[in-house]
Each structure stands twice: as C-alpha cells, then as structure tokens.
Amino acid sequence: MNEKRPFLSTCIIVGDEGVKTLARLLKSLVERAAGPWCDEIVLGWNGRNDVALVAALEAAGVGVEPPELTITDLVASGPDRRVAQAGWGRVDLVVHRRSWTGNFADARNDNFAHASGVWRAYLDADDVVASSDDPDDLRAVYDCLRSFGVEPSAPADDARLGPPQTVKDFLRGLDPDRNVVWCPYDYTIGGDGKALERHPRRRFVRWDDGFTWRNDYHEDVYPVGGNVERPVVNAGILVRHYPSQPTEERTARNRAILQRVLGEMQRGERPADGRVFYNVACFALEDGDYRAATDRLGEAITATGDAGDLALYRLLRTRALTQIGMHREASSEAFMLAAECPDSRQSWTLLQEVAHAQGRWQLSLDLFERAVRTP
C-alpha cells in the first residue's frame, strides 16, 4: 500500500448492473503503456451480488496484499478496506459499501469522501478511458481533438499521439490556481465507433479547494460556498460510454427519477432546480407534448441562475412556443434572449425564425441580415 497521499484518485459508483462492465473499465485505467491512469481507485459498491463484484475484480487482474487475504475478504470486509494491488503496479483500491437511495449526487459525495487524492476524478462503470495504445481509441482521440478545433500532431512511430503524456503529468503541469479540468465525453457511440453525442464534462477537481456534488439526476460537481471554479479544458483526455443497460431501460429509469424529483419540488419538499425542469421538458419534447415543455422550460428559466443555461432554456422555449402557434409569447422569449445575448448569432437567427413563422417577411429578412453580420 502507498504510504504517501495519492495524487489522483478515480472514484466509481457501481451496482449490480454496472458490475457487468467494471472489469473493462478497470483495465482501461491500469493496463496502459505509460503506466496506470491514477494512484487510487475508489469503488462505491451499492449492489447485492458480492460474487459478481469479486469476479469482476478478478477479471481485471486485481491482486490483494497481504497474500493471506482474498478478493472475497476485501469485498466482505465492510466499509473502507484498502489494499495494494501487486498486479497493477502502485495502485491502491478502496471498496466501500453504500445502500442505493436513488440520489446520484449523494452517492458521488460519499464515494469522493472515501478517496484520498489531491485530484479526484469520476467515472461510471460502463465507461472506458480511451488510450493511444489502442488504434481504435487513438482514432477516437484524433476525431475528438478535431471536433474541438485542434489538429493533432502526427503520430510517432509507435502510433502514439505525439510524445506520451500521462494524465498525472498533465495535472502536475497545471498552474496552481487551476482546480477543474473539463474533458470530452462520448456519451453515445455508433456502430462505426464514432461519437453520436459528445458532451464536455467536469471530470477532475482539486478536491481541497472545496467542491460538492449536486442534483439527483444529471449530477455535477460544483464549488462550495464562495469558492470559484477555475477551469481548463483538455480535449485529449477522452472518456467513452458503452451503456450496460438497453436504451429503453435507461430512459424509463431516468423518467421515473425526474418525475419523482419534479413532484418533490412542486410540493415544496426541495428547492427548485432548473436542470430538473429542463430535463423533464426534454422528455416532453421527445413525446411531442410542446405545451408541457413550454411550462417546464418557463419554470427552468425562473429557477436558474446560470447565464448559459438560461440562454438554452429560452432558445428551446421559443421553438416550442412556435410549434404550438403561440407566436406572441415566442417573440417575447426570443427578444429576451437577444437582449441578454446581443452578440450571439443564434439569438438573431431565432428571432428571424419567429418572424418567419408569423409571416412577417420584411422583419424576417432584416433579422436574417443582422444574424449574418453578427460574428
């Protein structure tokens, strides 16, 4: 076991469904030519099938010290049992137990609390960390960099992406005031291996600067109190998502969580959360229920304090209002967006769309020209 404080901890919550893909994730963290991704792996186990967890750890090549212990001992030993992994180099593993309550943020906070690293990252059990050791992953990293407007350097003879730099080296090279690293996340991957959905996500935080997880659903990590996020983006660190559950099951689960949380907010049992209203609205838009979507997006606009989220909610609400012929309300929403984001071409394009839907041809043309002139 490592004596000094780990520099980078990777935190993973896993249950009976996620354990099916856990070995693949752990291998992607440890079996890397440049060495393990992190110094410590922290598993927050909320499943019931300990035998499956033992099998996943054995399949990943976990070795336990002292030698008289087995992986079964580790899993059965209760909370916060720490062992060194001989077969993984200098990587510590922590397994802690937590009953699943349905609240993702609470589970993440508990998981991070069991970690020791200066920097802490999170992954899901059905994720994989892309590696330039693998040709398919390397192509995905190239594609990712280009999608962020970065032309990758020519690969070296060993097919790596230029001079190899580990994640830990990257983190050590950051200015001391940087405390968050945003990375791309291939949330949905097509049959050809290309990303169909890619989202930037906060992936690493310098934990001692003060952060906490919030939101039951689509949880994210935020600064605590008066602390501020001082971010940097690394488009070369790519996490890819291969869901362990069929899309229909995940969608049904997410809808159920959102409806529960929405009900609690409407009954005054929890504070209003713009992201929850927004996610409920997205499902309403999928269902073609534009009136319900406009209602939820209006609540999201009232609840949010984030300028970027506000612009997104106004944009979607304007389009939903236009779909149901509420052109006066759509114009009002679009004008609010243009007033708040006058330098955004999308604001003026949205106004032009509303004017066109109303049959106001000259205004539509004028707004189109304004959009073209906006950088």
Side-chain angles (χ1 to χ4, degrees):
M1 173 178 146
N2 294 325
E3 297 296 331
K4 63 181 182 179
R5 182 183 183 184
F7 180 70
L8 173 60
S9 300
T10 299
C11 302
I12 306 161
I13 54 176
V14 59
D16 288 328
E17 185 64 35
V19 77
K20 299 173 185 176
T21 55
L22 180 63
R24 180 183 62 191
L25 167 61
L26 295 178
K27 287 183 177 182
S28 81
L29 292 173
V30 176
E31 296 179 358
R32 307 173 76 88
W37 208 62
C38 55
D39 307 299
E40 177 185 65
I41 295 172
V42 183
L43 297 181
W45 173 237
N46 57 63
R48 298 180 178 180
N49 189 350
D50 286 3
V51 173
L53 178 59
V54 170
L57 296 176
E58 289 177 341
V62 173
V64 182
E65 294 179 2
E68 61 268 18
L69 285 178
T70 67
I71 293 178
T72 302
D73 296 327
L74 165 69
V75 172
S77 62
D80 210 11
R81 184 61 177 268
R82 180 183 293 272
V83 295
Q85 308 310 313
W88 282 2
R90 301 299 295 171
V91 179
D92 287 349
L93 174 70
V94 176
V95 178
H96 68 93
R97 291 179 178 271
R98 177 186 173 85
S99 298
W100 180 245
T101 63
N103 188 309
F104 284 89
D106 285 352
R108 298 267 190 215
N109 279 319
D110 186 50
N111 191 212
F112 271 55
H114 282 83
S116 306
V118 176
W119 283 88
R120 300 181 194 184
Y122 81 96
L123 291 164
D124 290 327
D126 51 5
D127 291 335
V128 171
V129 178
S131 170
S132 58
D133 303 334
D134 181 279
D136 290 336
D137 275 359
L138 181 63
R139 282 192 291 271
V141 172
Y142 273 27
D143 175 61
C144 177
L145 287 167
R146 291 189 179 104
S147 74
F148 277 78
V150 178
E151 186 60 32
S153 57
D157 292 340
D158 64 351
R160 292 180 180 280
L161 185 65
Q165 182 189 39
T166 67
V167 172
K168 289 186 287 185
D169 287 342
F170 167 76
L171 294 172
R172 288 191 179 100
L174 291 178
D175 291 338
D177 68 332
R178 297 295 186 179
N179 58 12
V180 173
V181 180
W182 287 74
C183 303
Y185 180 46
D186 282 355
Y187 182 72
T188 304
I189 303 171
D192 59 358
K194 291 188 176 296
L196 301 178
E197 287 184 88
R198 174 171 289 149
H199 309 297
R201 298 292 300 269
R202 296 177 180 90
R203 183 64 62 182
F204 303 85
V205 293
R206 198 189 296 268
W207 194 247
D208 291 353
D209 281 11
F211 288 88
T212 190
W213 286 89
R214 298 176 186 161
N215 306 330
D216 292 17
Y217 170 74
H218 280 187
E219 70 283 5
D220 210 341
V221 64
Y222 296 91
V224 174
N227 296 322
V228 296
E229 175 182 339
R230 297 180 295 275
V232 63
V233 175
N234 187 327
I237 301 172
L238 177 63
V239 177
R240 316 201 79 201
H241 184 232
Y242 298 89
S244 57
Q245 283 181 300
T247 301
E248 297 78 9
E249 290 183 17
R250 287 188 295 130
T251 300
R253 179 202 67 184
N254 293 342
R255 282 179 182 257
I257 293 171
L258 283 170
Q259 288 302 319
R260 172 179 59 79
V261 175
L262 178 64
E264 292 171 359
M265 291 194 304
Q266 291 173 333
R267 293 190 298 272
E269 296 170 5
R270 63 165 60 216
D273 185 331
R275 295 294 292 182
V276 172
F277 290 125
Y278 162 72
N279 284 304
V280 174
C282 287
F283 279 124
L285 290 171
E286 275 187 33
D287 297 337
D289 190 349
Y290 295 104
R291 190 168 295 278
T294 61
D295 290 344
R296 297 292 84 77
L297 288 165
E299 292 168 314
I301 288 167
T302 301
T304 191
D306 183 274
D309 285 347
L310 179 61
L312 172 63
Y313 303 160
R314 288 203 190 281
L315 171 69
L316 292 178
R317 189 164 191 266
T318 300
R319 290 186 169 151
L321 287 165
T322 302
Q323 284 285 338
I324 55 178
M326 299 180 68
H327 298 304
R328 185 186 298 274
E329 293 83 355
S331 293
S332 175
E333 202 71 74
F335 272 111
M336 290 290 291
L337 178 59
E340 292 159 356
C341 306
D343 297 326
S344 167
R345 176 179 292 181
Q346 192 170 43
S347 298
W348 299 104
T349 301
L350 186 64
L351 270 172
Q352 183 269 328
E353 291 174 5
V354 174
H356 186 272
Q358 293 174 313
R360 301 169 70 182
W361 313 121
Q362 185 58 52
L363 178 59
S364 176
L365 179 59
D366 293 343
L367 290 167
F368 175 77
E369 291 175 348
R370 172 63 187 268
V372 170
R373 293 196 304 272
T374 303

